[in-house]
Amino acid sequence: MRGTSWRTAASSVYAILVYGFIFLPVVVLVLFSFQDGRFPIPPFEGFSLRWYEAVLADSRLMEALANSIVVAVGSSLVTVLLGFLSAYGLARFALPAKGVQRALLTAPLTVSYLIIGMGLLITFNFIGFPKSLLAAGIGHVVINLPLCFAIIYSQMGDHQANIEKAARDLGASEWQVITLVTAPMLWPALFAAFFLSMTFSWDEFIISFLLTRFDVTLPVEIWSLLRSGLNPKTNAVGSLVFGISAVLVVVLELVVLRKGRR
């Protein structure tokens, strides 16, 4: 009994230390976003929403926020579509060198965002494609496509192939099979891929920084604020970014993953 109690206590202490190490920076960020003073440093000078009001009144930040939402939603839709079609093709057809193609599709997961961003920047400069939100969106498709493909491909089993075959036997065209049979069966995986892609795109900085110029995303605008030093306003913006990311993860868990397990 004593040994069991000791292991339980040790496990609890370890869990507290691990979660504290992970979430302490976030707690400090959010706490000092409500700081009434001008500097986000101890001691805490009182609760205030003035910095959130300043963020909402800042037209540049609101424009960057809208840009981030557009890029995240647009790139995620394209990513899920391409990931689904790629997974469907590799899972359902006898293509040459399927293993090599799968490896090539997932290879960008092992490459640094900085390297991918620099490669895209050089490529776009070579073909004369200007820096823009569209360029950033293409970059986000490149980095998120391997993950979306892996998620969707892993859910394509033999039982779904049998249902698709039955639909073809009943006269359904290939397009009808994809849209009316395969996609509805895979909707948990499709939504999971979409929300994860949105989460990663929403707070991605390096590629957005390299591929945008005048119209920037929110992380790039936050970086511009940080160049002038820390203040509770940057904490408030960071708290909003964290809050939206957390909401996406919670929605993914509650709406998609739990229903998928059922």
Side-chain angles (χ1 to χ4, degrees):
M1 293 295 293
R2 290 183 178 179
T4 303
S5 300
W6 183 86
R7 286 193 295 269
T8 302
S11 300
S12 300
V13 171
Y14 177 76
I16 292 172
L17 291 176
V18 169
Y19 285 113
F21 178 77
I22 295 174
F23 290 106
L24 181 60
V26 177
V27 172
V28 172
L29 174 76
V30 175
L31 175 63
F32 283 96
S33 69
F34 297 103
Q35 168 86 294
D36 189 45
R38 295 186 58 82
F39 301 100
I41 56 176
F44 189 74
E45 298 180 8
F47 181 87
S48 175
L49 295 175
R50 59 181 291 197
W51 301 110
Y52 286 92
E53 295 173 355
V55 168
L56 296 177
D58 191 320
S59 60
R60 286 182 59 86
L61 284 174
M62 290 298 99
E63 182 180 354
L65 172 63
N67 291 341
S68 288
I69 293 174
V70 170
V71 171
V73 174
S75 65
S76 298
L77 289 173
V78 174
T79 300
V80 170
L81 176 61
L82 295 178
F84 170 69
L85 294 177
S86 301
Y88 184 82
L90 288 175
R92 299 294 185 254
F93 298 98
L95 301 177
K98 290 176 64 173
V100 175
Q101 294 190 56
R102 286 197 302 268
L104 290 175
L105 277 170
T106 56
L109 289 172
T110 65
V111 182
S112 166
Y113 283 7
L114 178 60
I115 301 303
I116 294 175
M118 291 175 60
L120 288 171
L121 178 62
I122 294 170
T123 302
F124 288 158
N125 285 337
F126 178 76
I127 64 176
F129 194 85
K131 292 183 177 182
S132 62
L133 292 176
L134 178 58
I138 294 173
H140 289 184
V141 171
V142 172
I143 62 175
N144 289 326
L145 179 57
L147 179 61
C148 290
F149 165 78
I151 292 173
I152 299 170
Y153 184 81
S154 66
Q155 300 302 309
M156 288 189 163
D158 292 336
H159 65 287
Q160 294 163 338
N162 293 332
I163 297 175
E164 293 165 3
K165 183 179 179 180
R168 294 188 187 94
D169 292 340
L170 293 173
S173 65
E174 194 64 33
W175 180 249
Q176 289 174 320
V177 171
I178 292 175
T179 56
L180 301 179
V181 179
T182 307
M185 288 191 296
L186 291 174
W187 80 264
L190 295 174
F191 275 85
F194 175 77
F195 281 113
L196 283 176
S197 179
M198 270 202 66
T199 301
F200 293 145
S201 176
W202 163 252
D203 57 6
E204 194 283 323
F205 168 74
I206 296 177
I207 290 177
S208 297
F209 175 74
L210 291 174
L211 300 182
T212 58
R213 178 171 294 174
F214 301 112
D215 296 324
V216 298
T217 59
L218 189 57
V220 178
E221 188 63 30
I222 293 174
W223 178 82
S224 299
L225 289 176
L226 290 174
R227 295 176 64 186
S228 61
L230 288 174
N231 62 69
K233 186 177 180 179
T234 58
N235 285 40
V237 178
S239 298
L240 290 175
V241 172
F242 168 76
I244 293 176
S245 299
V247 168
L248 289 174
V249 172
V250 170
V251 170
L252 173 65
E253 171 64 23
L254 297 179
V255 177
V256 179
L257 296 184
R258 288 190 178 181
K259 288 188 177 180
R261 285 194 289 266
R262 292 175 185 175

